[in-house]
Structures are given as structure tokens and as C-alpha cells.
Amino acid sequence: MNAPHDPGTTARLEAAFLWACEQDVVCAKPGNVSFASAGHGMSAELFVASARAACAPLTRRGAPVGTRIEAAIANTRAAAGCNTNLGIVLLCAPLAAAFEAPPPHVCPAPIQAAQSMQSVQRVLRALTVEDACAAYRAIALANPGGLGNAPSQSVGTTPTVDLRAAMALAADRDSIARQYAEDFCDVLGFGLATFRAAYLARAESRTPLADAVLLTWLRFLARWPDSHIVRKHGAACAQHVSNEAAAWLARGPDRLCAPRALDGWDAELKAAGLNPGTSADLTVATLFAAACMDPSLIAPTTAFLPETHS
């Protein structure tokens, strides 16, 4: 399903993706890697390199979703040598395909979100077994920890169902898989509404965008136990971290958005090897969708943009 080449659309999607990935490491989220705090054997610079490497194949107009995923992860592996962005790529590939149509010039946010969800539904319904095979190869190449074995359509086997059906089998235990099964409703519903509300509420703060990113991430983490922590450390540990996130939210945004307020929690999580990575991936996908709908969010001086892609 090849669409005509449209440099303007490609540039818009690339800018949105790079901006979203930049916010992920600019915002110091406890347990996650950022410019302010390395961790888990990784630095923010690895995430920068990964975003740049994944960007062109992920946003290639008309490419099948599975092809986008596999090529983006292959490029990431070559650039970073480790798994930095598998969750981001799995989430953003269908979104990139859905957002290839230019955004409406004037459209209220609720209508825009509903239209975007319809576009995502069309992309998800068109997924094939070939998409699943490509995604499985990408997952094997990324080699994420703690996947284990599933009763059916395990990543270590060759899939016999389409990518959406394969993801649906894991939807009850993996928040990324749930997006495929449920039309990205967490990202395009809860995530977008949370980010927009936080951005407006923090408009007068010193760092409104960073505050909004942090609050969106915290609300994802408080709402659903992080899948990455569940896989590596168990459900009870993940629920404890979610409870901690909820407790921080209860203190109010002024306290938790204060400089260095979360440094202690960040150190504790990293000392225990706890990385709420899936919550970060969902936040990046939310930011990507928000920027696709409203390109004015993207700062013209973003550090990721100087490198261009063919």
C-alpha cells in the first residue's frame, strides 16, 4: 500500500517523532534515563542516537507497519547496540501510518482525537501476518528482558495470525499490546487528555512543557502498573511503584514539579533496578500524537532536528 511521496508529510511526522523522543530524555522521570540522570547501563545520548536512527524508517510514507518496526529496530541496534526504544517503535509505527493524512486546519481537540482514533482503527484492521512476522523479528533483535513464553503465538515462534491478533493475546499483561487490541484508546484518550490538561494548567510555570510531560508520565504510571516492571520484577513490585506514583501526584503539581523534588525517588528506583519504561513509552506515543495533531507544540530549536533524513 504505497502512497505518493509527500516530503511535507514526512517532515511533519519526523519532526513530531524526534520532538516526542527528545522530551522523553529532557524530562527527568524517576527510574527512567534522562539527560539529568543516566541509569540501567544507558545514557540519554543512546536514546538520542536511537531516535535519529529509527526516525526515517518509522515515518516512511506508505510503508507497512511491520516493515517500519523491523527497519527502525535494525537501525537502532546498529546505532545504539542495545534495546532503547522497542516500546516506542511498536507504539509509534501504527500512529505514524495513521497520521499520514494532513491534520485539519481547524478542529476542536475532542473531534481531532476521535478522528485520529478512527484512522488508527483503519490501520490496525489492515495489519497482516507479514506485519506480525516483521514485528516478531524486530522484538527478537531488540532482545528485551523478561518476555518469557506465551501459550500461543510466542515471540520465539513464527506467528500465524496478524499483528493485531497477536498483540491481543498479550493485552491483559502488556500495556503496549493493549493499545493494538483497544485502538490506542489509552494513548489517544487518557494520554492526550491528560497531557493537554497538564500543559494548560502549568502554562504559568517555569517549565510548562516539562511539567506536563512529567505529570502525564506519572498519571500513566499511577493508573496502570508498568508492564516492564511486571515482566522483570513481578506484579506486586509494579503495583508498589504505581502506588508511589499516586502518592506523589497527591502532593500536588507545585511540589512534585519543583526542581530536584524527585531525585531521591529516582535514585531509589535505579538502585533497585526498577525502570518504569512502558509508562515512558506510552508518554512518548502521547506526545507524538499530540505533535502530529498540533505541530505548533514543536520548538523550532529542538536539538534533534539538525540531522535530515532521505
Side-chain angles (χ1 to χ4, degrees):
M1 189 171 70
N2 292 321
H5 180 60
D6 181 350
T9 295
T10 300
R12 174 173 58 83
L13 292 174
E14 286 187 347
F17 178 72
L18 293 172
W19 174 81
C21 292
E22 180 180 27
Q23 304 318 307
D24 181 41
V25 288
V26 167
C27 179
K29 307 180 304 300
N32 293 162
V33 175
S34 69
F35 284 117
S37 178
H40 315 293
M42 296 180 289
S43 68
E45 287 72 20
L46 280 178
F47 285 76
V48 172
S50 299
R52 286 176 170 157
C55 184
L58 191 77
T59 59
R60 184 164 294 130
R61 185 168 174 81
V65 169
T67 300
R68 296 175 195 244
I69 293 169
E70 186 173 19
I73 293 303
N75 281 12
T76 295
R77 194 74 187 184
C82 60
N83 173 30
T84 52
N85 64 2
L86 176 61
I88 289 171
V89 167
L90 288 171
L91 288 169
C92 289
L95 292 175
F99 281 114
E100 284 180 348
H105 293 294
V106 179
C107 186
I111 296 175
Q112 211 173 25
Q115 291 175 341
S116 299
M117 198 171 293
Q118 290 172 357
S119 296
V120 170
Q121 287 171 351
R122 288 192 291 271
V123 169
L124 295 175
R125 289 169 184 166
L127 293 174
T128 65
V129 175
E130 288 73 21
D131 288 314
C133 290
Y136 275 38
R137 290 192 295 268
I139 294 168
L141 180 61
N143 192 27
L147 275 183
N149 293 312
S152 176
Q153 307 297 320
S154 177
V155 168
T157 66
T158 300
T160 57
V161 299
D162 66 74
L163 181 55
R164 187 181 196 187
M167 289 289 195
L169 294 171
D172 63 337
R173 63 182 184 276
D174 186 280
S175 294
I176 293 172
R178 186 172 68 244
Q179 304 318 303
Y180 280 75
E182 298 182 2
D183 301 326
F184 278 68
C185 62
D186 299 337
V187 170
L188 298 176
F190 175 82
L192 278 177
T194 298
F195 171 70
R196 285 169 171 158
Y199 189 69
L200 289 173
R202 302 297 295 172
E204 302 303 320
S205 76
R206 182 178 57 88
T207 54
L209 178 57
D211 290 359
V213 173
L214 176 63
L215 288 165
T216 302
W217 174 83
L218 272 169
R219 287 178 177 138
F220 269 124
L221 181 56
R223 188 175 179 92
W224 292 285
D226 191 272
S227 298
H228 186 261
I229 297 178
V230 171
R231 283 196 303 273
K232 297 194 74 173
H233 301 277
C237 180
Q239 185 60 60
H240 176 72
V241 175
S242 288
N243 293 344
E244 288 184 311
W248 273 106
L249 284 169
R251 300 183 189 195
D254 287 338
R255 289 187 64 187
L256 66 90
C257 292
R260 312 194 72 85
L262 298 172
D263 284 4
W265 188 29
D266 176 56
E268 290 173 9
L269 290 174
K270 286 173 178 167
L274 299 174
N275 179 6
T278 301
S279 303
D281 297 339
L282 291 166
T283 302
V284 172
T286 297
L287 296 173
F288 178 52
C292 287
M293 294 180 189
D294 182 8
S296 69
L297 283 168
I298 302 171
T301 57
T302 178
F304 279 23
L305 294 184
E307 293 195 0
T308 58
H309 306 279
S310 58

